[in-house]
PDB file of all heavy atoms in Angstrom:
ATOM      1  N   ALA A 519      -2.742  13.202 -21.123  1.00 97.00           N
ATOM      2  CA  ALA A 519      -3.684  12.228 -21.557  1.00 97.00           C
ATOM      3  C   ALA A 519      -5.164  12.880 -21.620  1.00 97.00           C
ATOM      4  O   ALA A 519      -6.008  12.331 -22.161  1.00 97.00           O
ATOM      5  CB  ALA A 519      -3.803  10.994 -20.580  1.00 97.00           C
ATOM      6  N   ALA A 520      -5.288  14.097 -21.022  1.00 97.00           N
ATOM      7  CA  ALA A 520      -6.552  14.758 -21.051  1.00 97.00           C
ATOM      8  C   ALA A 520      -6.348  16.224 -20.654  1.00 97.00           C
ATOM      9  O   ALA A 520      -5.242  16.563 -20.139  1.00 97.00           O
ATOM     10  CB  ALA A 520      -7.577  14.146 -20.061  1.00 97.00           C
ATOM     11  N   GLY A 521      -7.350  17.160 -20.994  1.00 98.00           N
ATOM     12  CA  GLY A 521      -7.229  18.470 -20.507  1.00 98.00           C
ATOM     13  C   GLY A 521      -8.593  19.053 -20.162  1.00 98.00           C
ATOM     14  O   GLY A 521      -9.618  18.576 -20.534  1.00 98.00           O
ATOM     15  N   ILE A 522      -8.516  20.080 -19.305  1.00 97.00           N
ATOM     16  CA  ILE A 522      -9.696  20.795 -18.898  1.00 97.00           C
ATOM     17  C   ILE A 522      -9.441  22.278 -19.035  1.00 97.00           C
ATOM     18  O   ILE A 522      -8.504  22.806 -18.479  1.00 97.00           O
ATOM     19  CB  ILE A 522      -9.982  20.470 -17.419  1.00 97.00           C
ATOM     20  CG1 ILE A 522     -10.205  18.963 -17.160  1.00 97.00           C
ATOM     21  CG2 ILE A 522     -11.263  21.208 -16.882  1.00 97.00           C
ATOM     22  CD1 ILE A 522     -10.362  18.560 -15.746  1.00 97.00           C
ATOM     23  N   SER A 523     -10.249  22.865 -19.833  1.00 96.00           N
ATOM     24  CA  SER A 523     -10.096  24.318 -20.138  1.00 96.00           C
ATOM     25  C   SER A 523     -11.262  25.106 -19.626  1.00 96.00           C
ATOM     26  O   SER A 523     -12.401  24.918 -20.080  1.00 96.00           O
ATOM     27  CB  SER A 523      -9.892  24.546 -21.658  1.00 96.00           C
ATOM     28  OG  SER A 523      -9.934  25.963 -22.005  1.00 96.00           O
ATOM     29  N   HIS A 524     -10.952  26.101 -18.771  1.00 95.00           N
ATOM     30  CA  HIS A 524     -12.024  27.022 -18.239  1.00 95.00           C
ATOM     31  C   HIS A 524     -11.836  28.312 -19.132  1.00 95.00           C
ATOM     32  O   HIS A 524     -10.848  29.028 -18.963  1.00 95.00           O
ATOM     33  CB  HIS A 524     -11.849  27.392 -16.803  1.00 95.00           C
ATOM     34  CG  HIS A 524     -11.813  26.207 -15.912  1.00 95.00           C
ATOM     35  ND1 HIS A 524     -12.719  25.944 -14.922  1.00 95.00           N
ATOM     36  CD2 HIS A 524     -10.860  25.161 -15.778  1.00 95.00           C
ATOM     37  CE1 HIS A 524     -12.373  24.880 -14.264  1.00 95.00           C
ATOM     38  NE2 HIS A 524     -11.309  24.334 -14.770  1.00 95.00           N
ATOM     39  N   TYR A 525     -12.871  28.658 -19.864  1.00 92.00           N
ATOM     40  CA  TYR A 525     -12.862  29.857 -20.721  1.00 92.00           C
ATOM     41  C   TYR A 525     -11.460  30.220 -21.231  1.00 92.00           C
ATOM     42  O   TYR A 525     -10.988  31.300 -21.249  1.00 92.00           O
ATOM     43  CB  TYR A 525     -13.386  31.068 -19.900  1.00 92.00           C
ATOM     44  CG  TYR A 525     -13.138  31.097 -18.401  1.00 92.00           C
ATOM     45  CD1 TYR A 525     -12.028  31.645 -17.867  1.00 92.00           C
ATOM     46  CD2 TYR A 525     -13.938  30.463 -17.517  1.00 92.00           C
ATOM     47  CE1 TYR A 525     -11.654  31.700 -16.562  1.00 92.00           C
ATOM     48  CE2 TYR A 525     -13.639  30.445 -16.143  1.00 92.00           C
ATOM     49  CZ  TYR A 525     -12.516  31.128 -15.701  1.00 92.00           C
ATOM     50  OH  TYR A 525     -12.200  31.115 -14.355  1.00 92.00           O
ATOM     51  N   GLY A 526     -10.901  29.143 -21.849  1.00 92.00           N
ATOM     52  CA  GLY A 526      -9.534  29.254 -22.410  1.00 92.00           C
ATOM     53  C   GLY A 526      -9.429  29.843 -23.805  1.00 92.00           C
ATOM     54  O   GLY A 526     -10.452  29.832 -24.529  1.00 92.00           O
ATOM     55  N   VAL A 527      -8.422  30.343 -24.195  1.00 90.00           N
ATOM     56  CA  VAL A 527      -8.101  30.977 -25.489  1.00 90.00           C
ATOM     57  C   VAL A 527      -7.639  29.934 -26.416  1.00 90.00           C
ATOM     58  O   VAL A 527      -6.643  29.339 -26.242  1.00 90.00           O
ATOM     59  CB  VAL A 527      -7.100  32.117 -25.420  1.00 90.00           C
ATOM     60  CG1 VAL A 527      -6.887  32.750 -26.749  1.00 90.00           C
ATOM     61  CG2 VAL A 527      -7.433  33.174 -24.371  1.00 90.00           C
ATOM     62  N   GLY A 528      -8.465  29.693 -27.478  1.00 91.00           N
ATOM     63  CA  GLY A 528      -8.074  28.734 -28.533  1.00 91.00           C
ATOM     64  C   GLY A 528      -7.439  29.367 -29.717  1.00 91.00           C
ATOM     65  O   GLY A 528      -6.702  28.827 -30.455  1.00 91.00           O
ATOM     66  N   ASP A 529      -7.907  30.577 -29.997  1.00 91.00           N
ATOM     67  CA  ASP A 529      -7.436  31.342 -31.193  1.00 91.00           C
ATOM     68  C   ASP A 529      -6.896  32.715 -30.725  1.00 91.00           C
ATOM     69  O   ASP A 529      -7.677  33.594 -30.466  1.00 91.00           O
ATOM     70  CB  ASP A 529      -8.625  31.527 -32.184  1.00 91.00           C
ATOM     71  CG  ASP A 529      -8.183  32.232 -33.457  1.00 91.00           C
ATOM     72  OD1 ASP A 529      -7.023  32.724 -33.526  1.00 91.00           O
ATOM     73  OD2 ASP A 529      -8.930  32.270 -34.415  1.00 91.00           O
ATOM     74  N   ILE A 530      -5.602  32.789 -30.620  1.00 93.00           N
ATOM     75  CA  ILE A 530      -4.989  34.093 -30.070  1.00 93.00           C
ATOM     76  C   ILE A 530      -5.140  35.142 -31.110  1.00 93.00           C
ATOM     77  O   ILE A 530      -5.083  36.368 -30.732  1.00 93.00           O
ATOM     78  CB  ILE A 530      -3.573  33.877 -29.540  1.00 93.00           C
ATOM     79  CG1 ILE A 530      -2.619  33.348 -30.712  1.00 93.00           C
ATOM     80  CG2 ILE A 530      -3.565  33.015 -28.353  1.00 93.00           C
ATOM     81  CD1 ILE A 530      -1.213  33.269 -30.223  1.00 93.00           C
ATOM     82  N   GLU A 531      -5.286  34.888 -32.421  1.00 92.00           N
ATOM     83  CA  GLU A 531      -5.486  35.898 -33.372  1.00 92.00           C
ATOM     84  C   GLU A 531      -6.881  36.506 -33.228  1.00 92.00           C
ATOM     85  O   GLU A 531      -6.997  37.775 -33.208  1.00 92.00           O
ATOM     86  CB  GLU A 531      -5.419  35.322 -34.782  1.00 92.00           C
ATOM     87  CG  GLU A 531      -5.519  36.397 -35.878  1.00 92.00           C
ATOM     88  CD  GLU A 531      -5.513  35.860 -37.270  1.00 92.00           C
ATOM     89  OE1 GLU A 531      -5.488  34.610 -37.479  1.00 92.00           O
ATOM     90  OE2 GLU A 531      -5.397  36.714 -38.221  1.00 92.00           O
ATOM     91  N   ALA A 532      -7.849  35.697 -32.860  1.00 87.00           N
ATOM     92  CA  ALA A 532      -9.225  36.284 -32.575  1.00 87.00           C
ATOM     93  C   ALA A 532      -9.146  37.094 -31.332  1.00 87.00           C
ATOM     94  O   ALA A 532      -9.826  38.136 -31.198  1.00 87.00           O
ATOM     95  CB  ALA A 532     -10.203  35.120 -32.440  1.00 87.00           C
ATOM     96  N   LEU A 533      -8.371  36.712 -30.331  1.00 84.00           N
ATOM     97  CA  LEU A 533      -8.280  37.502 -29.101  1.00 84.00           C
ATOM     98  C   LEU A 533      -7.644  38.842 -29.387  1.00 84.00           C
ATOM     99  O   LEU A 533      -8.023  39.837 -28.787  1.00 84.00           O
ATOM    100  CB  LEU A 533      -7.432  36.711 -28.061  1.00 84.00           C
ATOM    101  CG  LEU A 533      -7.393  37.360 -26.686  1.00 84.00           C
ATOM    102  CD1 LEU A 533      -8.687  37.299 -26.018  1.00 84.00           C
ATOM    103  CD2 LEU A 533      -6.295  36.654 -25.783  1.00 84.00           C
ATOM    104  N   ALA A 534      -6.702  38.856 -30.356  1.00 88.00           N
ATOM    105  CA  ALA A 534      -6.004  40.148 -30.753  1.00 88.00           C
ATOM    106  C   ALA A 534      -7.083  41.087 -31.463  1.00 88.00           C
ATOM    107  O   ALA A 534      -6.834  42.296 -31.474  1.00 88.00           O
ATOM    108  CB  ALA A 534      -4.851  39.840 -31.603  1.00 88.00           C
ATOM    109  N   THR A 535      -8.091  40.604 -32.037  1.00 87.00           N
ATOM    110  CA  THR A 535      -9.054  41.427 -32.739  1.00 87.00           C
ATOM    111  C   THR A 535     -10.443  41.551 -32.149  1.00 87.00           C
ATOM    112  O   THR A 535     -11.182  42.285 -32.603  1.00 87.00           O
ATOM    113  CB  THR A 535      -9.254  40.778 -34.274  1.00 87.00           C
ATOM    114  OG1 THR A 535      -9.696  39.462 -34.175  1.00 87.00           O
ATOM    115  CG2 THR A 535      -7.886  40.852 -34.981  1.00 87.00           C
ATOM    116  N   ASP A 536     -10.697  40.723 -31.073  1.00 82.00           N
ATOM    117  CA  ASP A 536     -11.978  40.753 -30.531  1.00 82.00           C
ATOM    118  C   ASP A 536     -11.908  40.537 -28.967  1.00 82.00           C
ATOM    119  O   ASP A 536     -12.137  39.488 -28.399  1.00 82.00           O
ATOM    120  CB  ASP A 536     -12.870  39.612 -31.095  1.00 82.00           C
ATOM    121  CG  ASP A 536     -14.327  39.606 -30.546  1.00 82.00           C
ATOM    122  OD1 ASP A 536     -14.669  40.675 -30.029  1.00 82.00           O
ATOM    123  OD2 ASP A 536     -14.997  38.552 -30.577  1.00 82.00           O
ATOM    124  N   THR A 537     -11.495  41.590 -28.375  1.00 84.00           N
ATOM    125  CA  THR A 537     -11.466  41.606 -26.833  1.00 84.00           C
ATOM    126  C   THR A 537     -11.653  42.972 -26.268  1.00 84.00           C
ATOM    127  O   THR A 537     -11.716  43.939 -27.106  1.00 84.00           O
ATOM    128  CB  THR A 537     -10.201  40.997 -26.296  1.00 84.00           C
ATOM    129  OG1 THR A 537     -10.345  40.672 -24.870  1.00 84.00           O
ATOM    130  CG2 THR A 537      -8.897  41.781 -26.500  1.00 84.00           C
ATOM    131  N   HIS A 538     -11.537  43.181 -25.077  1.00 89.00           N
ATOM    132  CA  HIS A 538     -11.821  44.514 -24.489  1.00 89.00           C
ATOM    133  C   HIS A 538     -10.555  45.379 -24.507  1.00 89.00           C
ATOM    134  O   HIS A 538      -9.444  44.862 -24.798  1.00 89.00           O
ATOM    135  CB  HIS A 538     -12.397  44.382 -23.073  1.00 89.00           C
ATOM    136  CG  HIS A 538     -11.428  43.632 -22.129  1.00 89.00           C
ATOM    137  ND1 HIS A 538     -10.829  44.236 -21.047  1.00 89.00           N
ATOM    138  CD2 HIS A 538     -10.980  42.344 -22.116  1.00 89.00           C
ATOM    139  CE1 HIS A 538     -10.021  43.447 -20.510  1.00 89.00           C
ATOM    140  NE2 HIS A 538     -10.149  42.193 -21.101  1.00 89.00           N
ATOM    141  N   LYS A 539     -10.805  46.655 -24.255  1.00 95.00           N
ATOM    142  CA  LYS A 539      -9.613  47.648 -24.349  1.00 95.00           C
ATOM    143  C   LYS A 539      -8.449  47.292 -23.603  1.00 95.00           C
ATOM    144  O   LYS A 539      -7.255  47.341 -24.125  1.00 95.00           O
ATOM    145  CB  LYS A 539     -10.108  49.049 -24.019  1.00 95.00           C
ATOM    146  CG  LYS A 539      -9.070  50.090 -24.104  1.00 95.00           C
ATOM    147  CD  LYS A 539      -9.494  51.389 -23.587  1.00 95.00           C
ATOM    148  CE  LYS A 539      -8.395  52.489 -23.511  1.00 95.00           C
ATOM    149  NZ  LYS A 539      -8.849  53.784 -23.034  1.00 95.00           N
ATOM    150  N   PHE A 540      -8.599  46.984 -22.286  1.00 95.00           N
ATOM    151  CA  PHE A 540      -7.439  46.759 -21.412  1.00 95.00           C
ATOM    152  C   PHE A 540      -6.494  45.706 -21.997  1.00 95.00           C
ATOM    153  O   PHE A 540      -5.279  45.966 -21.862  1.00 95.00           O
ATOM    154  CB  PHE A 540      -8.002  46.293 -20.048  1.00 95.00           C
ATOM    155  CG  PHE A 540      -6.881  46.133 -18.992  1.00 95.00           C
ATOM    156  CD1 PHE A 540      -6.149  47.184 -18.653  1.00 95.00           C
ATOM    157  CD2 PHE A 540      -6.773  44.894 -18.411  1.00 95.00           C
ATOM    158  CE1 PHE A 540      -5.140  47.042 -17.596  1.00 95.00           C
ATOM    159  CE2 PHE A 540      -5.731  44.760 -17.405  1.00 95.00           C
ATOM    160  CZ  PHE A 540      -4.994  45.836 -17.060  1.00 95.00           C
ATOM    161  N   GLU A 541      -7.022  44.657 -22.570  1.00 92.00           N
ATOM    162  CA  GLU A 541      -6.100  43.672 -23.093  1.00 92.00           C
ATOM    163  C   GLU A 541      -5.974  43.614 -24.566  1.00 92.00           C
ATOM    164  O   GLU A 541      -5.322  42.694 -25.114  1.00 92.00           O
ATOM    165  CB  GLU A 541      -6.595  42.263 -22.628  1.00 92.00           C
ATOM    166  CG  GLU A 541      -6.553  41.960 -21.154  1.00 92.00           C
ATOM    167  CD  GLU A 541      -6.906  40.598 -20.768  1.00 92.00           C
ATOM    168  OE1 GLU A 541      -6.133  39.634 -20.983  1.00 92.00           O
ATOM    169  OE2 GLU A 541      -8.105  40.428 -20.331  1.00 92.00           O
ATOM    170  N   SER A 542      -6.468  44.638 -25.235  1.00 92.00           N
ATOM    171  CA  SER A 542      -6.515  44.505 -26.678  1.00 92.00           C
ATOM    172  C   SER A 542      -5.133  44.651 -27.342  1.00 92.00           C
ATOM    173  O   SER A 542      -4.984  44.139 -28.512  1.00 92.00           O
ATOM    174  CB  SER A 542      -7.389  45.787 -27.259  1.00 92.00           C
ATOM    175  OG  SER A 542      -6.814  46.982 -26.919  1.00 92.00           O
ATOM    176  N   ARG A 543      -4.176  45.088 -26.569  1.00 94.00           N
ATOM    177  CA  ARG A 543      -2.743  45.068 -27.158  1.00 94.00           C
ATOM    178  C   ARG A 543      -1.845  44.265 -26.269  1.00 94.00           C
ATOM    179  O   ARG A 543      -0.572  44.269 -26.439  1.00 94.00           O
ATOM    180  CB  ARG A 543      -2.235  46.496 -27.283  1.00 94.00           C
ATOM    181  CG  ARG A 543      -3.100  47.385 -28.187  1.00 94.00           C
ATOM    182  CD  ARG A 543      -2.906  47.011 -29.674  1.00 94.00           C
ATOM    183  NE  ARG A 543      -1.544  47.194 -30.110  1.00 94.00           N
ATOM    184  CZ  ARG A 543      -0.957  48.288 -30.426  1.00 94.00           C
ATOM    185  NH1 ARG A 543      -1.598  49.459 -30.396  1.00 94.00           N
ATOM    186  NH2 ARG A 543       0.320  48.348 -30.843  1.00 94.00           N
ATOM    187  N   TYR A 544      -2.314  43.544 -25.373  1.00 93.00           N
ATOM    188  CA  TYR A 544      -1.510  42.806 -24.424  1.00 93.00           C
ATOM    189  C   TYR A 544      -0.656  41.856 -25.089  1.00 93.00           C
ATOM    190  O   TYR A 544       0.579  41.690 -24.758  1.00 93.00           O
ATOM    191  CB  TYR A 544      -2.485  42.120 -23.372  1.00 93.00           C
ATOM    192  CG  TYR A 544      -1.822  41.245 -22.333  1.00 93.00           C
ATOM    193  CD1 TYR A 544      -0.525  41.554 -21.885  1.00 93.00           C
ATOM    194  CD2 TYR A 544      -2.512  40.214 -21.695  1.00 93.00           C
ATOM    195  CE1 TYR A 544       0.053  40.801 -20.892  1.00 93.00           C
ATOM    196  CE2 TYR A 544      -1.950  39.526 -20.636  1.00 93.00           C
ATOM    197  CZ  TYR A 544      -0.712  39.815 -20.247  1.00 93.00           C
ATOM    198  OH  TYR A 544      -0.147  39.105 -19.308  1.00 93.00           O
ATOM    199  N   ILE A 545      -1.200  41.012 -26.102  1.00 93.00           N
ATOM    200  CA  ILE A 545      -0.347  40.024 -26.661  1.00 93.00           C
ATOM    201  C   ILE A 545       0.652  40.506 -27.698  1.00 93.00           C
ATOM    202  O   ILE A 545       1.356  39.723 -28.354  1.00 93.00           O
ATOM    203  CB  ILE A 545      -1.240  38.884 -27.159  1.00 93.00           C
ATOM    204  CG1 ILE A 545      -2.397  39.315 -27.976  1.00 93.00           C
ATOM    205  CG2 ILE A 545      -1.678  38.025 -25.975  1.00 93.00           C
ATOM    206  CD1 ILE A 545      -3.216  38.140 -28.468  1.00 93.00           C
ATOM    207  N   ASP A 546       0.598  41.829 -27.963  1.00 95.00           N
ATOM    208  CA  ASP A 546       1.693  42.390 -28.759  1.00 95.00           C
ATOM    209  C   ASP A 546       3.041  41.992 -28.184  1.00 95.00           C
ATOM    210  O   ASP A 546       3.985  41.703 -28.931  1.00 95.00           O
ATOM    211  CB  ASP A 546       1.568  43.988 -28.831  1.00 95.00           C
ATOM    212  CG  ASP A 546       0.541  44.421 -29.812  1.00 95.00           C
ATOM    213  OD1 ASP A 546      -0.312  43.601 -30.150  1.00 95.00           O
ATOM    214  OD2 ASP A 546       0.653  45.599 -30.284  1.00 95.00           O
ATOM    215  N   ARG A 547       3.085  42.136 -26.879  1.00 95.00           N
ATOM    216  CA  ARG A 547       4.413  41.775 -26.184  1.00 95.00           C
ATOM    217  C   ARG A 547       4.567  40.282 -25.932  1.00 95.00           C
ATOM    218  O   ARG A 547       5.685  39.753 -26.065  1.00 95.00           O
ATOM    219  CB  ARG A 547       4.437  42.479 -24.877  1.00 95.00           C
ATOM    220  CG  ARG A 547       5.840  42.555 -24.191  1.00 95.00           C
ATOM    221  CD  ARG A 547       5.772  43.245 -22.861  1.00 95.00           C
ATOM    222  NE  ARG A 547       5.560  44.648 -22.991  1.00 95.00           N
ATOM    223  CZ  ARG A 547       6.529  45.576 -22.927  1.00 95.00           C
ATOM    224  NH1 ARG A 547       7.773  45.220 -22.829  1.00 95.00           N
ATOM    225  NH2 ARG A 547       6.268  46.829 -23.084  1.00 95.00           N
TER     226      ARG A 547
END
Side-chain angles (χ1 to χ4, degrees):
I522 302 173
S523 171
H524 305 242
Y525 35 89
V527 181
D529 183 351
I530 57 176
E531 183 180 11
L533 188 66
T535 58
D536 181 21
T537 191
H538 58 114
K539 177 186 176 182
F540 182 60
E541 291 185 80
S542 62
R543 300 288 301 279
Y544 181 23
I545 48 180
D546 280 22
R547 194 180 290 263

